[in-house]
Amino acid sequence: MSRCLSFSLIILLIVACESSSSKKSIDEDSELTSIAFERSKGDSTSTYQEVILFYKQLSDMDERVSIEEIYETDSGEPLHLVTFTPTELVENPLKLMINNGIHPGESDGIDATMLLFKDLYKNDWTLPEGVQLFTIPVYNVGGALNRNSNSRTNQNGPAAYGFRGNARNYDLNRDFIKSDTKNSKSFFSIFHQVQPDVFVDTHVSNGADYQYTLTHLFTQYNKLGGPLGKHLENKFIPSVEENLLSKGWPITPYVNVFNESPEKGFTQFNDSPRYSSGYTSLWNTLGLMIETHMLKPYPKRVEGTFEMLKTLIDVSSQQKGEIQKTRRASFNMFSDAEHYPLNFKVDSSTYKQMNFLGYKLENMTSEITGLPRIKFNRDQTYERPTQYYNTFSASDSVRIAKGYIIPQQWTNVIELLKWNNISYERFAEDTVMQVEQYKIEGFKTRSSAYEGHYLHSNTKVSAKTLDKTVRQGDVFVEVDQPGMRYIIETLEPIAVDSFFNWNFFDSILQQKEGFSPYVFEDLALEILKNDDALKLRFEEKKKKDTDFANNWYAQLDWIHKQSKYYEYAHLTYPIVRVLN
Ligand SMILES: [Zn+2]
């Protein structure tokens, strides 16, 4: 097989906004515009324009701070990346990246990160040694521009905030694989440029009421897998929890219940690759979402997020060596493996006992519906052992292929590989190759729209080996590369967030040609006469399946589908696997 052209780099459109001539030394104490959160004593959050102005000012005043515009967002505005680089940066620093405002109504992290950068600027707090800090100040720019005071119906402040949907009403925290938005493409550029060791996405949570202001939603450690997964569960999370508790900020895992009491126990959230931390774990980045509790006063939530960010930076610095070592090892965890695990599900037979600080749940009758309702009584607190189900295991697996061949016409898939820094090559000439091809045997489809899609699930495939003519210009993606997990999770149809499940290949689900029954009758008779084995299977099916036996169209269709007249493309997954 000969291959040519190599495309290995994503498109980076970077415009530096720094004006180095105006940059001053940090000792000259220029006046930084006050932050809306501080000015309003915790009542307000900054507008998008104020946030960007703040970081631009900071980059003008502090040579350790830089701000870049990276590509663009659906709103037409660019996405910004802000970097804090200590004056004496060590070689191979631990890179920690904070993503804010993916849901702009959950603005806690936007404010907390500004306060953190202000403290660093004023030298009120020093970045621990060996750490370089990055932030996307507001990821959902379109949502932040759509400012209102009502869309977070039950949230306790701030006074005004952005909307969850982006400029085209997508939830960006479901967009990391299907990538309908320019925002996600900008994110890919930033993520692969920075290659963070630790990734933090800031949110506000709403499922039940309890005493905690802070909850953490770390990427699921069994799914992250390898030495990094073990490090996360056994060392990183306990250190973060202990550190915060010692500062008077008890924290619990994300309370994954809705409209019921957490005291019954709860299951860890499964952050599949469509979510930020699920996406970053495909590159063995230790990722998490901070989820503050929406009923706690806004100043307390921002303060909690601020303390949590500092704690994450401290613990990352303390565990820098181990995090970087286990990350490196994780990139090789499948080098000798035959199978790749997919579709992680909770193991309900095992749980972790933890102490939970809750409010008593009361059952009463609704004055509106006359039916039962619940209420959390904040005057009645409890501390009680609670079962936390956080062990997951793979419910599926695939044999790891050497590579995938993507016919060149599937440009949407190839574009996304490029954005995600996946290396591939193109065939220099037409080539016949032995490949494995999937037939889609079954799947379910949502009955209502979900993030601009009618997502498939429970996808089943069968595989067969065949010789295929690959065309000049078709793409070969070798699996053995740093983005291996991304390649498998997107290209294997059975994976929960595969491109297949996100409707990229729905055109193969519809049969394009059929038959005219009044003519095909005679041809079908001929087909059966000439194929005894087929005739036998046909007769047996009629015997066993009464519906089939009573449906003349189903019978003709069945014969048509067994014949040479049935189109090959129907339900044939166009990306094929090369096994060796
Ligand atoms: Zn959120």
Side-chain angles (χ1 to χ4, degrees), residues 295-311:
L295 296 179
K296 304 299 180 291
Y298 190 57
K300 198 168 179 202
R301 281 166 25 216
V302 173
E303 194 192 340
T305 305
F306 177 80
E307 288 303 333
M308 174 92 179
L309 290 174
K310 284 202 335 193
T311 296

Side-chain angles (χ1 to χ4, degrees), residues 198-212:
V198 178
F199 170 79
V200 190
D201 193 29
T202 58
H203 291 259
V204 180
S205 172
N206 60 357
D209 202 1
Y210 38 78
Q211 297 176 48
Y212 301 92

Side-chain angles (χ1 to χ4, degrees), residues 408-449:
Q408 57 200 291
Q409 56 269 34
W410 296 95
T411 49
N412 52 347
V413 172
I414 298 165
E415 280 299 311
L416 279 179
L417 297 183
K418 248 193 263 185
W419 280 108
N420 282 282
N421 216 16
I422 302 296
S423 303
Y424 60 81
E425 294 169 42
R426 288 191 187 261
F427 285 84
E429 56 196 38
D430 290 2
T431 312
V432 176
M433 291 193 61
Q434 192 181 71
V435 300
E436 188 180 63
Q437 183 145 48
Y438 288 144
K439 202 86 186 167
I440 305 296
E441 297 292 347
F443 59 91
K444 291 200 167 72
T445 304
R446 286 179 63 104
S447 58
S448 57

